[in-house]
Amino acid sequence: MMTGAKRKRSTVWRKIQAVRLEDIKAWCMRRLPILTWVPVYNWKENLVPDTVSGMMLAIQQVTQGLAFAVLSSVHPVFGLYGSFFPVIIYAIFGMGRHVATGTFALTSLISANAVERLVPSVRTNFTANNNSGILGLSEFEMQRIGVAAAVSFLGGIIQVVMFMLQLGSATFLLTEPVISAMTTGAATHVVTSQVKYLLGMKMPYISGPLAFFHIYAYVFENIRSVQLEALLLSLLSIVVLVLVKELNEKYHRNIKVVLPIDLLLIIATSIACYYADMEYVYGIEVVGNIPKGLPSPKAPSMSVLPEVVTEAFGVALVGYVASLALAQGSAKKFKYSVDDNQEFLAHGLSNVIPSFFFCIPSAAAMGRTALLYSTGAKTQVACLISCVLILVVIYTIGPLLYWLPMCVLASIIVVGLKGMLMQFRDLKKYWNVDKIDWSIWVSTYVFTICFAANVGLLYGVMCTIAIVIFRFPRAKTLNLKNMKEVEYKYKVEDNCESLKQVKIVSVNSPLVFLNARKFHADLLKIIQKDGMSSQCEQNTLLCSFSNGSCHGELVQPCHNDRHVLILDCSGLNFFDYTGVSVLLQIYVDCKNRYIDVLLAHCKGSLIKAMQYGGNLDSENPVFFESISSAIDAIPIHRNYSKFSEQSEL
């Protein structure tokens, strides 16, 4: 006799043997989207625009990588790594053809909370000469990137788990007002975090609830410590960046290659800082030493993981939400599809694998994605080409960035967030369309400003759920639109002519616990409004109200006034136990009212649930494939039929 363990092994072995080569191939094609577009890549038509886009993207990846690494409170070189490794991983697993992943302001800001909390410092100094760690960096810098890499690793693991749980389908709760408000609020936080660099102030790291207001309070209290040279250089950089970017956007149709103002500004200010010796003469803070080459892989510190759970969840949710919005936008613009769940896997692996190479958390950025749009990129080949150029920077050009002023990097960050900050203009749209969405936007933004991006996102989702619960039970569940009231006259065996009405009602919404009670009430209104209740119903109810006793009176059923109610269930997309219970209750109630209930266009799952949930107790069929088949099944001998229009309820 086979034991339980042997039977289990035998079952598993049979399942393994049942897997065919075609199944494996289909799975690989589904989970590795690169296998679907690379074989059909049009080298002749797409390579040139992808190459141009890749070159422009590499410039932006380098500048944002350096800037967002500083925002994450780690050495700038780790931003270069974060602009290289995640891009390759997403190109393999991601479905967004125009999504430029890499370092991201919002995830960098979130990871900075963990870095500053676990490895605090009185003053960040990227030019420290203590080269006792890996890559020639100080042990202090390696401890900091260790925390940031742990946040990236755990955040990626959370995203992969969400992929395994198929939570991509839950993204319907992430409405456009919530995403817009959260990203705008987070962008405001990022701008605030750069104020100390823009003003050249020495400021302690401030975090926690209401940190946004505490930072500006500190600035105004110490306004005399503003470094005039850094402020002037910041203002000049912002003006030049905004002006040139506006001109690029205005004339991008007339010029094939936009002016890489970020790169030119970095080169110009680095040269000026070197020859003017601004670091020592004016005390302007610079980036400092940038090590050459790629690091050897090293696993993130597992002992840190329990202490960065909050930040990891923030990175996982905020990064995914912002990236998915860009992926869906590009898919809609260029007419292709994106699997929400596959994006969980792509971004999860883009955080997990690069964390072994000292990378900060990654996600897609609006500015880089918009750049791919404007430069005519066709596929992820543009992103892969940018990786080649970033590799050149890491091995050759990186050390030349020593003299880059930090205030210039901060200016690049602030101007790069222009797209997110301009989402304030959405308020007018929401006000004109739906005041509730406007309220959700404003309140979500306020929560994000007062607390953090992940808190604001959670608040926005909870508001969405509350609004759904409030609105859903009040939504219209039934109508008679485009339906006919069918009157059949027939003769029964005793040659007594009577009228039998057939009412067709369309179910146009899901049937769940939120709207089941209103569904029941709406249907009763239809029955009462159209006179389908009869004296028989009144007698039956009178009997039932007497505790089951009719006091010796025998209630005779009426056969002179018979009715049929057909429920068109084609719009009933899903249901729950409460919904099925209500349908069964309606069936019983109508039967007591001498109304026959027939259900058309029912899904197999609904039929099975109703048959399992209660005894339908009917000699005739109840479920039908179509309305016409339900009408044909009505047991009558028709002499003639009469059709009359029925208005919408």
Side-chain angles (χ1 to χ4, degrees), residues 9 50 88 120 129 152 204 242 278 343 375 377 401 413 449 463 495 498 522 568 599 602 609 611:
R9 285 195 298 268
D50 279 344
I88 297 175
N129 295 319
S152 178
V242 171
M278 293 183 182
E343 289 298 291
T375 53
L401 299 173
I413 291 177
I449 287 297
C463 279
N495 294 323
S498 61
D522 288 348
D568 177 12
L599 284 79
C602 291
Q611 290 175 339

Side-chain angles (χ1 to χ4, degrees), residues 144 164 199 355 411 415 420 498 516 524 587 611 643:
R144 289 201 142 197
M164 297 174 66
L199 302 179
S355 67
S411 301
V415 176
M420 289 186 181
S498 61
L524 290 179
Y587 179 85
Q611 290 175 339
F643 297 88

